[in-house]
Amino acid sequence: MTPARRGLPYGVFSRPGEPRRVGVRVGDQVLDLAAALGDEVFAAPVLNPFMALGRVAWREARERAAEAARTGDHLLPLDAVTLHLPIEVADYVDFYASLEHATNLGRILRPGEEPLKPNWRHLPVGYHGRSGTVVVSGTPIRRPCGQRPPSTPGGRPSFGPSLRLDLEAEVGFVVGTPTRLGERAGAFEDHVFGVTLVNDWSARDIQAWEYVPLGPFLGKSFATSVSPWITPLDALEGARVEGPPQEPEPPAYLRRAAPWGLDLALRVQINGETVAEPPYRDMYWTPDQMLAHLTVNGASVRTGDLFASGTVSGPRDPGSLVELTRNGAEPFKLADGAARTFLEDGDTVTLTATTRDGICLGEVSGTVVPAT
Amino acid sequence: MTPARRGLPYGVFSRPGEPRRVGVRVGDQVLDLAAALGDEVFAAPVLNPFMALGRVAWREARERAAEAARTGDHLLPLDAVTLHLPIEVADYVDFYASLEHATNLGRILRPGEEPLKPNWRHLPVGYHGRSGTVVVSGTPIRRPCGQRPPSTPGGRPSFGPSLRLDLEAEVGFVVGTPTRLGERAGAFEDHVFGVTLVNDWSARDIQAWEYVPLGPFLGKSFATSVSPWITPLDALEGARVEGPPQEPEPPAYLRRAAPWGLDLALRVQINGETVAEPPYRDMYWTPDQMLAHLTVNGASVRTGDLFASGTVSGPRDPGSLVELTRNGAEPFKLADGAARTFLEDGDTVTLTATTRDGICLGEVSGTVVPAT
């Protein structure tokens, strides 16, 4: 049994001249679910109608898909299909849940100040990103243009292609069961359908100039890449761990009712070469806390909402180049001898993640193409 | 000819037991467009399919609607229908385009510092808000709960209902014709379908604690109210004005190709009493500049995108209570003698706007209900 078979992640695929429909990955094949299970909900071009059915339906479908996969019918080779963005993204929220990452970024962006803002240990800091530019793995990433910081205080910004294009390795969570406006979310596993990988591409120069006081905007909104596969929570039972201790203890609505830390080993590759292996399991804020925070003010979540962890960084394995190179001050070398600070045109970034018991969460990949 | 007849704004209505469909407001009546024009696109439950048709179709529909309104057929009294959220909101962006408002807020939130950040005059500062909690006028607004700032530096936040619930009077712009990922938007009038009114409800205490460094989040995401009517750009030809002069001159991509300032007189009412009449015409950044900025990094806009101006504030007429009361330090009195700093449970806030030539942009109204 291959790792991917045990994960049985969901995606959306098409064959030439045929409409998009839902599939389940089984090793290097995809199970055509509409054909295998005879259920119209899998003939949809996105996972949303299925995800809206709720947890009982998710479990039943997973059992039936596993059974169908064993028969060997309706399996197509992965290289004969095209994979698409698996969900219609409703709202996209990006958190900032890694203590290492927030500390590193604070030091870089606000030197001389306390790196963590006073709120950071009391709530999972987050912000809304752009849903309309969430793209599937493989989509080329065009280097964004924008305003870059003035070279002297009080000076004029320059305009042009970002000179500090970065990656951010993140884990994303996809909402299946919505909440009602004015009500808080219930248990994490009753709302969240599954997990994906996210590369939250970032133009550090554009971001540094624009982000005060209302947060990141064009430095992020040009593209966010996700894996074509959504791994259902049930596949990750064996990866669940307690999150790290939190001091001070967070307010009651953020207390963890169950362990929703996940022991995932991420890998960041540039042009096929591993540059970091950030450990997700040490993330300070866990995704159940993110969902509780998102809805504590009565804001509703919808089927297709995507919320991401923020950059996953460990002490020796940061999930972004701005950290790896200390904002460009310490270049690193790739195997071909080329020095890198930030991403060059033509660079391909690939993120993967695997649980300790060998379940692969797929990959998210993107190649930088020159600015127009 | 009534003002509303000349505006001919679009909305979505239903009669008891019937599905939602598109209508045009004609005074105190609504023209049933699907019935009057016999076009299926108006039988949709939102304006999005119609808005996606583009400018030529918008103009033709407006002419045919005006003609149909003259015949008097298919007109229903407004009080016999229910009005709904007229668009499916794709991405929601909120700008910060008023020099008065940004200056006032800077003084309040960051006393002792330069109120405007160095970027403010170089680009229209903005951020993404929550699309899923955009609600139509009339929807009750539940007072949000959340973390409120510690009373002493380094202290713990308190948790509970917001004690500083505020309104923000804004003008919103709705995208009809999308752009492609990686390409900049063309002319403003080729993409933007129309204009609406927005109340960007704000919990100032939640916002003040959470907003560094990634911007406003739960202090805004509980609800954003919009008018049920979208006034097409063509109805606002007579309201177009040059925006105010800008110093320093912005970068080339932000230079104004045509006047897209709008001479709109806003009115903010609390429980029927006018508390401010902010002038929209003086807004520093005009909506054509906002669209150019949104897409300069290659981010796409979609049919149904909503971007709002940010609070409209004039020197004597701020569009928010945090400004009107100097962050609660200077209460004002309503006619019933009750003092107000921020909104109380039961307060009804109503925003309206009218052009100099008498076109009414409808109204957006909401009543605060107690926290649960």
Side-chain angles (χ1 to χ4, degrees), chain B residues 213-271:
Chain B
L214 300 186
F217 187 36
L218 301 195
K220 303 277 195 171
S221 67
F222 55 97
T224 305
S225 299
V226 297
S227 163
W229 302 108
I230 314 288
T231 301
L233 284 192
D234 279 342
L236 298 172
E237 276 298 315
R240 290 175 63 183
V241 292
E242 302 280 347
Q246 296 181 307
E247 175 57 39
E249 189 178 26
Y253 78 91
L254 288 174
R255 287 193 198 134
R256 298 170 179 149
W260 277 111
L262 293 170
D263 189 0
L264 303 176
L266 271 63
R267 176 170 294 170
V268 181
Q269 293 179 301
I270 298 180
N271 304 333

Side-chain angles (χ1 to χ4, degrees), chain A residues 264-345:
Chain A
L264 304 176
L266 272 62
R267 177 169 293 168
V268 181
Q269 293 180 302
I270 298 179
N271 303 333
E273 192 172 329
T274 299
V275 298
E277 294 184 298
Y280 179 78
R281 66 169 292 149
D282 300 328
M283 294 290 274
Y284 191 87
W285 295 103
T286 48
D288 51 321
Q289 296 179 306
M290 296 175 196
L291 180 67
H293 189 61
L294 260 177
T295 62
V296 71
N297 67 346
S300 47
V301 294
R302 291 178 290 174
T303 302
D305 273 10
L306 170 68
F307 58 94
S309 61
T311 306
V312 183
S313 289
R316 280 178 301 273
D317 283 276
S320 70
L321 299 183
V322 68
E323 293 167 88
L324 191 69
T325 68
R326 300 192 187 272
N327 204 20
E330 298 177 10
F332 65 97
K333 278 201 173 155
L334 293 173
D336 64 2
R340 281 288 182 290
T341 49
F342 292 95
L343 295 169
E344 307 274 340
D345 291 345

Side-chain angles (χ1 to χ4, degrees), chain B residues 21 74 99 337:
Chain B
R21 54 195 191 275
H74 307 296
L99 181 61

